[in-house]
Amino acid sequence: MDDVSRWEALGGVVGAFHNVILTEGFFSPYKGLLPTIMSVTPLGAVFYRVYDILKSAYLHSPKERKRIQYMKEQGQELSALDQLELGPVRTLLHGAISSACAEASAYPFEVLRRQLQLPSKANKLSALATFVKIVERGGIPALYAGLFNGSKIALGQSLRTCYSR
């Protein structure tokens, strides 16, 4: 049976939703919601914290202080925003590093979410039990399986950071 006739047999979106609830239970559409919510917090927090650390370290470096001092000696008037400017290459670099750190901190939650959403009869475990099962099977590295495939996300995030400033 092809996908279209299978879709029609379920009765569209409402029929498919009804079928999922009947076969897998009322809360089955919400499997993986908790790990998704839990991954949002470290993702944003780590990204902005790492970016801030990198930016502050650069702005307080001796090289940057000398550049600002030289510009002041030349009579150029610098606003506060001019003194905080990184430039596009540094912004891109800091954004890429920040994105990589944020993705690495949130990735175990994504692995957990995907595992919870697998359509298997044996997958009736809670989020914590599923997490323990993943670690028992493959150790801590199993939580980071496929992380480098997500590096495309980090690159996209760094480009967004670079061009949103």
mmCIF file with all atom_site columns, all heavy atoms in Angstrom, residues 71-85:
data_model
loop_
_atom_site.group_PDB
_atom_site.id
_atom_site.type_symbol
_atom_site.label_atom_id
_atom_site.label_alt_id
_atom_site.label_comp_id
_atom_site.label_asym_id
_atom_site.label_entity_id
_atom_site.label_seq_id
_atom_site.pdbx_PDB_ins_code
_atom_site.Cartn_x
_atom_site.Cartn_y
_atom_site.Cartn_z
_atom_site.occupancy
_atom_site.B_iso_or_equiv
_atom_site.pdbx_formal_charge
_atom_site.auth_seq_id
_atom_site.auth_comp_id
_atom_site.auth_asym_id
_atom_site.auth_atom_id
_atom_site.pdbx_PDB_model_num
ATOM 1   N N   . MET A 1 71 ? 43.369 54.447 18.706 1.00 0.00 ? 71 MET A N   1
ATOM 2   C CA  . MET A 1 71 ? 42.315 55.202 18.027 1.00 0.00 ? 71 MET A CA  1
ATOM 3   C C   . MET A 1 71 ? 42.002 56.498 18.785 1.00 0.00 ? 71 MET A C   1
ATOM 4   O O   . MET A 1 71 ? 41.742 57.533 18.170 1.00 0.00 ? 71 MET A O   1
ATOM 5   C CB  . MET A 1 71 ? 41.060 54.342 17.877 1.00 0.00 ? 71 MET A CB  1
ATOM 6   C CG  . MET A 1 71 ? 41.259 53.192 16.894 1.00 0.00 ? 71 MET A CG  1
ATOM 7   S SD  . MET A 1 71 ? 39.843 52.119 16.801 1.00 0.00 ? 71 MET A SD  1
ATOM 8   C CE  . MET A 1 71 ? 38.869 52.987 15.596 1.00 0.00 ? 71 MET A CE  1
ATOM 9   N N   . LYS A 1 72 ? 42.058 56.449 20.111 1.00 0.00 ? 72 LYS A N   1
ATOM 10  C CA  . LYS A 1 72 ? 41.823 57.657 20.908 1.00 0.00 ? 72 LYS A CA  1
ATOM 11  C C   . LYS A 1 72 ? 42.952 58.662 20.720 1.00 0.00 ? 72 LYS A C   1
ATOM 12  O O   . LYS A 1 72 ? 42.726 59.875 20.638 1.00 0.00 ? 72 LYS A O   1
ATOM 13  C CB  . LYS A 1 72 ? 41.675 57.303 22.382 1.00 0.00 ? 72 LYS A CB  1
ATOM 14  C CG  . LYS A 1 72 ? 40.346 56.652 22.714 1.00 0.00 ? 72 LYS A CG  1
ATOM 15  C CD  . LYS A 1 72 ? 40.263 56.324 24.183 1.00 0.00 ? 72 LYS A CD  1
ATOM 16  C CE  . LYS A 1 72 ? 38.941 55.669 24.512 1.00 0.00 ? 72 LYS A CE  1
ATOM 17  N NZ  . LYS A 1 72 ? 38.858 55.272 25.939 1.00 0.00 ? 72 LYS A NZ  1
ATOM 18  N N   . GLU A 1 73 ? 44.194 58.168 20.634 1.00 0.00 ? 73 GLU A N   1
ATOM 19  C CA  . GLU A 1 73 ? 45.345 59.046 20.428 1.00 0.00 ? 73 GLU A CA  1
ATOM 20  C C   . GLU A 1 73 ? 45.302 59.715 19.062 1.00 0.00 ? 73 GLU A C   1
ATOM 21  O O   . GLU A 1 73 ? 45.802 60.823 18.887 1.00 0.00 ? 73 GLU A O   1
ATOM 22  C CB  . GLU A 1 73 ? 46.647 58.260 20.579 1.00 0.00 ? 73 GLU A CB  1
ATOM 23  C CG  . GLU A 1 73 ? 46.951 57.858 22.001 1.00 0.00 ? 73 GLU A CG  1
ATOM 24  C CD  . GLU A 1 73 ? 48.140 56.915 22.098 1.00 0.00 ? 73 GLU A CD  1
ATOM 25  O OE1 . GLU A 1 73 ? 48.716 56.539 21.053 1.00 0.00 ? 73 GLU A OE1 1
ATOM 26  O OE2 . GLU A 1 73 ? 48.486 56.541 23.231 1.00 0.00 ? 73 GLU A OE2 1
ATOM 27  N N   . GLN A 1 74 ? 44.721 59.030 18.085 1.00 0.00 ? 74 GLN A N   1
ATOM 28  C CA  . GLN A 1 74 ? 44.617 59.593 16.739 1.00 0.00 ? 74 GLN A CA  1
ATOM 29  C C   . GLN A 1 74 ? 43.490 60.618 16.638 1.00 0.00 ? 74 GLN A C   1
ATOM 30  O O   . GLN A 1 74 ? 43.283 61.200 15.594 1.00 0.00 ? 74 GLN A O   1
ATOM 31  C CB  . GLN A 1 74 ? 44.357 58.469 15.721 1.00 0.00 ? 74 GLN A CB  1
ATOM 32  C CG  . GLN A 1 74 ? 45.500 57.482 15.610 1.00 0.00 ? 74 GLN A CG  1
ATOM 33  C CD  . GLN A 1 74 ? 46.772 58.146 15.121 1.00 0.00 ? 74 GLN A CD  1
ATOM 34  O OE1 . GLN A 1 74 ? 46.754 58.970 14.222 1.00 0.00 ? 74 GLN A OE1 1
ATOM 35  N NE2 . GLN A 1 74 ? 47.893 57.813 15.738 1.00 0.00 ? 74 GLN A NE2 1
ATOM 36  N N   . GLY A 1 75 ? 42.758 60.790 17.725 1.00 0.00 ? 75 GLY A N   1
ATOM 37  C CA  . GLY A 1 75 ? 41.699 61.785 17.745 1.00 0.00 ? 75 GLY A CA  1
ATOM 38  C C   . GLY A 1 75 ? 40.354 61.260 17.284 1.00 0.00 ? 75 GLY A C   1
ATOM 39  O O   . GLY A 1 75 ? 39.425 62.040 17.096 1.00 0.00 ? 75 GLY A O   1
ATOM 40  N N   . GLN A 1 76 ? 40.269 59.980 17.066 1.00 0.00 ? 76 GLN A N   1
ATOM 41  C CA  . GLN A 1 76 ? 38.986 59.406 16.658 1.00 0.00 ? 76 GLN A CA  1
ATOM 42  C C   . GLN A 1 76 ? 38.083 59.291 17.880 1.00 0.00 ? 76 GLN A C   1
ATOM 43  O O   . GLN A 1 76 ? 38.509 58.824 18.935 1.00 0.00 ? 76 GLN A O   1
ATOM 44  C CB  . GLN A 1 76 ? 39.177 58.029 16.030 1.00 0.00 ? 76 GLN A CB  1
ATOM 45  C CG  . GLN A 1 76 ? 39.918 58.056 14.725 1.00 0.00 ? 76 GLN A CG  1
ATOM 46  C CD  . GLN A 1 76 ? 40.081 56.655 14.142 1.00 0.00 ? 76 GLN A CD  1
ATOM 47  O OE1 . GLN A 1 76 ? 39.709 55.675 14.765 1.00 0.00 ? 76 GLN A OE1 1
ATOM 48  N NE2 . GLN A 1 76 ? 40.644 56.591 12.957 1.00 0.00 ? 76 GLN A NE2 1
ATOM 49  N N   . GLU A 1 77 ? 36.862 59.745 17.712 1.00 0.00 ? 77 GLU A N   1
ATOM 50  C CA  . GLU A 1 77 ? 35.920 59.673 18.813 1.00 0.00 ? 77 GLU A CA  1
ATOM 51  C C   . GLU A 1 77 ? 35.216 58.312 18.758 1.00 0.00 ? 77 GLU A C   1
ATOM 52  O O   . GLU A 1 77 ? 34.646 57.936 17.740 1.00 0.00 ? 77 GLU A O   1
ATOM 53  C CB  . GLU A 1 77 ? 34.893 60.801 18.687 1.00 0.00 ? 77 GLU A CB  1
ATOM 54  C CG  . GLU A 1 77 ? 34.154 61.060 19.972 1.00 0.00 ? 77 GLU A CG  1
ATOM 55  C CD  . GLU A 1 77 ? 33.371 62.347 19.890 1.00 0.00 ? 77 GLU A CD  1
ATOM 56  O OE1 . GLU A 1 77 ? 33.953 63.377 19.500 1.00 0.00 ? 77 GLU A OE1 1
ATOM 57  O OE2 . GLU A 1 77 ? 32.184 62.285 20.203 1.00 0.00 ? 77 GLU A OE2 1
ATOM 58  N N   . LEU A 1 78 ? 35.298 57.567 19.848 1.00 0.00 ? 78 LEU A N   1
ATOM 59  C CA  . LEU A 1 78 ? 34.703 56.234 19.903 1.00 0.00 ? 78 LEU A CA  1
ATOM 60  C C   . LEU A 1 78 ? 33.510 56.230 20.846 1.00 0.00 ? 78 LEU A C   1
ATOM 61  O O   . LEU A 1 78 ? 33.623 56.638 21.995 1.00 0.00 ? 78 LEU A O   1
ATOM 62  C CB  . LEU A 1 78 ? 35.723 55.202 20.404 1.00 0.00 ? 78 LEU A CB  1
ATOM 63  C CG  . LEU A 1 78 ? 36.917 54.930 19.509 1.00 0.00 ? 78 LEU A CG  1
ATOM 64  C CD1 . LEU A 1 78 ? 37.905 54.029 20.218 1.00 0.00 ? 78 LEU A CD1 1
ATOM 65  C CD2 . LEU A 1 78 ? 36.465 54.285 18.226 1.00 0.00 ? 78 LEU A CD2 1
ATOM 66  N N   . SER A 1 79 ? 32.391 55.781 20.329 1.00 0.00 ? 79 SER A N   1
ATOM 67  C CA  . SER A 1 79 ? 31.230 55.617 21.207 1.00 0.00 ? 79 SER A CA  1
ATOM 68  C C   . SER A 1 79 ? 31.391 54.307 21.978 1.00 0.00 ? 79 SER A C   1
ATOM 69  O O   . SER A 1 79 ? 32.276 53.497 21.689 1.00 0.00 ? 79 SER A O   1
ATOM 70  C CB  . SER A 1 79 ? 29.940 55.584 20.387 1.00 0.00 ? 79 SER A CB  1
ATOM 71  O OG  . SER A 1 79 ? 29.883 54.398 19.625 1.00 0.00 ? 79 SER A OG  1
ATOM 72  N N   . ALA A 1 80 ? 30.523 54.113 22.938 1.00 0.00 ? 80 ALA A N   1
ATOM 73  C CA  . ALA A 1 80 ? 30.564 52.868 23.717 1.00 0.00 ? 80 ALA A CA  1
ATOM 74  C C   . ALA A 1 80 ? 30.320 51.667 22.816 1.00 0.00 ? 80 ALA A C   1
ATOM 75  O O   . ALA A 1 80 ? 30.933 50.609 22.987 1.00 0.00 ? 80 ALA A O   1
ATOM 76  C CB  . ALA A 1 80 ? 29.534 52.914 24.838 1.00 0.00 ? 80 ALA A CB  1
ATOM 77  N N   . LEU A 1 81 ? 29.425 51.820 21.832 1.00 0.00 ? 81 LEU A N   1
ATOM 78  C CA  . LEU A 1 81 ? 29.152 50.712 20.914 1.00 0.00 ? 81 LEU A CA  1
ATOM 79  C C   . LEU A 1 81 ? 30.351 50.407 20.021 1.00 0.00 ? 81 LEU A C   1
ATOM 80  O O   . LEU A 1 81 ? 30.614 49.248 19.705 1.00 0.00 ? 81 LEU A O   1
ATOM 81  C CB  . LEU A 1 81 ? 27.921 51.015 20.055 1.00 0.00 ? 81 LEU A CB  1
ATOM 82  C CG  . LEU A 1 81 ? 26.589 50.970 20.784 1.00 0.00 ? 81 LEU A CG  1
ATOM 83  C CD1 . LEU A 1 81 ? 25.456 51.377 19.852 1.00 0.00 ? 81 LEU A CD1 1
ATOM 84  C CD2 . LEU A 1 81 ? 26.338 49.592 21.350 1.00 0.00 ? 81 LEU A CD2 1
ATOM 85  N N   . ASP A 1 82 ? 31.076 51.451 19.607 1.00 0.00 ? 82 ASP A N   1
ATOM 86  C CA  . ASP A 1 82 ? 32.276 51.228 18.796 1.00 0.00 ? 82 ASP A CA  1
ATOM 87  C C   . ASP A 1 82 ? 33.323 50.439 19.573 1.00 0.00 ? 82 ASP A C   1
ATOM 88  O O   . ASP A 1 82 ? 34.059 49.635 19.002 1.00 0.00 ? 82 ASP A O   1
ATOM 89  C CB  . ASP A 1 82 ? 32.884 52.560 18.345 1.00 0.00 ? 82 ASP A CB  1
ATOM 90  C CG  . ASP A 1 82 ? 32.029 53.274 17.313 1.00 0.00 ? 82 ASP A CG  1
ATOM 91  O OD1 . ASP A 1 82 ? 31.236 52.589 16.634 1.00 0.00 ? 82 ASP A OD1 1
ATOM 92  O OD2 . ASP A 1 82 ? 32.157 54.507 17.212 1.00 0.00 ? 82 ASP A OD2 1
ATOM 93  N N   . GLN A 1 83 ? 33.412 50.688 20.866 1.00 0.00 ? 83 GLN A N   1
ATOM 94  C CA  . GLN A 1 83 ? 34.393 49.991 21.689 1.00 0.00 ? 83 GLN A CA  1
ATOM 95  C C   . GLN A 1 83 ? 34.004 48.530 21.919 1.00 0.00 ? 83 GLN A C   1
ATOM 96  O O   . GLN A 1 83 ? 34.844 47.724 22.276 1.00 0.00 ? 83 GLN A O   1
ATOM 97  C CB  . GLN A 1 83 ? 34.564 50.708 23.015 1.00 0.00 ? 83 GLN A CB  1
ATOM 98  C CG  . GLN A 1 83 ? 35.193 52.077 22.859 1.00 0.00 ? 83 GLN A CG  1
ATOM 99  C CD  . GLN A 1 83 ? 35.335 52.788 24.182 1.00 0.00 ? 83 GLN A CD  1
ATOM 100 O OE1 . GLN A 1 83 ? 35.394 52.158 25.229 1.00 0.00 ? 83 GLN A OE1 1
ATOM 101 N NE2 . GLN A 1 83 ? 35.401 54.108 24.138 1.00 0.00 ? 83 GLN A NE2 1
ATOM 102 N N   . LEU A 1 84 ? 32.733 48.200 21.742 1.00 0.00 ? 84 LEU A N   1
ATOM 103 C CA  . LEU A 1 84 ? 32.271 46.819 21.948 1.00 0.00 ? 84 LEU A CA  1
ATOM 104 C C   . LEU A 1 84 ? 32.172 46.032 20.649 1.00 0.00 ? 84 LEU A C   1
ATOM 105 O O   . LEU A 1 84 ? 31.771 44.872 20.664 1.00 0.00 ? 84 LEU A O   1
ATOM 106 C CB  . LEU A 1 84 ? 30.900 46.820 22.637 1.00 0.00 ? 84 LEU A CB  1
ATOM 107 C CG  . LEU A 1 84 ? 30.875 47.385 24.048 1.00 0.00 ? 84 LEU A CG  1
ATOM 108 C CD1 . LEU A 1 84 ? 29.449 47.431 24.552 1.00 0.00 ? 84 LEU A CD1 1
ATOM 109 C CD2 . LEU A 1 84 ? 31.743 46.565 24.970 1.00 0.00 ? 84 LEU A CD2 1
ATOM 110 N N   . GLU A 1 85 ? 32.507 46.637 19.534 1.00 0.00 ? 85 GLU A N   1
ATOM 111 C CA  . GLU A 1 85 ? 32.370 45.982 18.234 1.00 0.00 ? 85 GLU A CA  1
ATOM 112 C C   . GLU A 1 85 ? 33.471 44.936 18.036 1.00 0.00 ? 85 GLU A C   1
ATOM 113 O O   . GLU A 1 85 ? 34.645 45.208 18.270 1.00 0.00 ? 85 GLU A O   1
ATOM 114 C CB  . GLU A 1 85 ? 32.440 47.032 17.124 1.00 0.00 ? 85 GLU A CB  1
ATOM 115 C CG  . GLU A 1 85 ? 32.203 46.493 15.750 1.00 0.00 ? 85 GLU A CG  1
ATOM 116 C CD  . GLU A 1 85 ? 30.820 45.903 15.577 1.00 0.00 ? 85 GLU A CD  1
ATOM 117 O OE1 . GLU A 1 85 ? 29.861 46.438 16.155 1.00 0.00 ? 85 GLU A OE1 1
ATOM 118 O OE2 . GLU A 1 85 ? 30.713 44.888 14.882 1.00 0.00 ? 85 GLU A OE2 1
#
